[in-house]
Amino acid sequence: MTKYLKIGVSGPYVNTSQTTFVKLDDDDIGDDGKCKQKYADEMVGDAIANYIDSWSETVDEADVPEEDRW
C-alpha cells in the first residue's frame, strides 16, 4: 500500500494553515512502518519554508513601527 507523510503547518494568523502530503518511497519507510526521521525532518523543513514564503515579505525599515523592531 502506498504511504504518504502528512505535514500540517499553521501560521500566526487566524485560519492560516496548510496541509501537505508527500508520497513516500519504500526506502523512506523504516522497519516500524513510519517515515524515517531524517527524511521526515527534511520534508517538514521544506513544507515550513514554502509556507513561510507564502505569507512573509521583506519591507523597508520605515514600514516597521519602532516598537516592533528587534
Side-chain angles (χ1 to χ4, degrees):
M1 175 185 354
T2 303
K3 291 196 176 219
Y4 288 81
L5 177 63
K6 179 180 177 182
I7 304 167
V9 181
S10 61
Y13 307 108
V14 175
N15 297 326
T16 56
S17 64
Q18 177 177 311
T19 301
T20 303
F21 295 89
V22 179
K23 187 175 181 177
L24 299 173
D25 295 327
D26 289 339
D27 48 334
D28 298 327
I29 301 170
D31 294 334
D32 59 359
K34 296 181 180 179
C35 183
K36 291 180 180 175
Q37 190 65 48
K38 183 176 179 181
Y39 186 72
D41 290 346
E42 180 183 333
M43 292 299 100
V44 168
D46 288 349
I48 291 170
N50 289 336
Y51 184 72
I52 289 171
D53 282 345
S54 72
W55 58 260
S56 66
E57 64 180 306
T58 302
V59 297
D60 293 327
E61 183 178 39
D63 298 324
V64 181
E66 198 165 322
E67 65 272 7
D68 291 336
R69 298 177 188 171
W70 7 309

